[in-house]
Amino acid sequence: MNYRNGKDVLPPRLLKELQHYIQGELVYVPKLESKRAPWGEVSGSRKLIARRNEEIFQSYCGGLTAPELAAAYHLSIDSIRKIITKMRSAARHSEQKQAVNGGFSNAGKLSSAYRS
């Protein structure tokens, strides 16, 4: 985080107004909500955790137990169970979405087959 002198970046009138409230202290001016990146986007943490969670889920599907995964990933058993539940739900949602989308594309093929 860079610190900049208010004298160098603020209009004199605004600087005087701020001096009524604070003098010689550091003030953090947050970014506008529209300019803020979601958590983990800049550092890459979000992608790393998503990849780790996918590995945990795949290992669970491959036969490892929650206690084994907790030990391997240095997480609590409850955390592992939450990850598995969330990933299972996401997988089901993805399967349902594919089934619906696949059904529409097949319906188009069926109707064209009846036309010929």
Side-chain angles (χ1 to χ4, degrees), residues 1-60:
M1 181 182 310
N2 298 355
Y3 294 99
R4 297 179 18 190
N5 190 329
K7 244 185 340 188
D8 299 335
V9 295
L10 299 173
R13 189 171 172 196
L14 179 56
L15 181 61
K16 278 199 179 284
E17 185 66 27
L18 285 171
Q19 286 172 331
H20 288 292
Y21 298 96
I22 52 170
Q23 295 179 21
E25 296 179 48
L26 298 177
V27 175
Y28 173 73
V29 179
K31 291 181 181 180
L32 295 172
E33 286 297 320
S34 61
K35 301 282 184 178
R36 295 184 71 156
W39 177 88
E41 289 295 321
V42 175
S43 67
S45 296
R46 182 180 293 263
K47 286 182 182 177
L48 288 174
I49 290 173
R51 206 172 306 138
R52 178 205 65 187
N53 291 353
E54 183 64 36
E55 287 176 13
I56 289 170
F57 184 63
Q58 292 302 322
S59 297
Y60 178 77

Side-chain angles (χ1 to χ4, degrees), residues 98-112:
Q98 286 177 345
V100 168
N101 289 339
F104 286 130
S105 64
N106 288 339
K109 290 176 188 174
L110 289 174
S111 64
S112 64

Side-chain angles (χ1 to χ4, degrees), residues 88-105:
R88 185 182 293 138
S89 175
R92 283 184 188 144
H93 180 73
S94 177
E95 289 172 3
Q96 289 172 349
K97 196 172 184 180
Q98 286 177 345
V100 168
N101 289 339
F104 286 130
S105 64

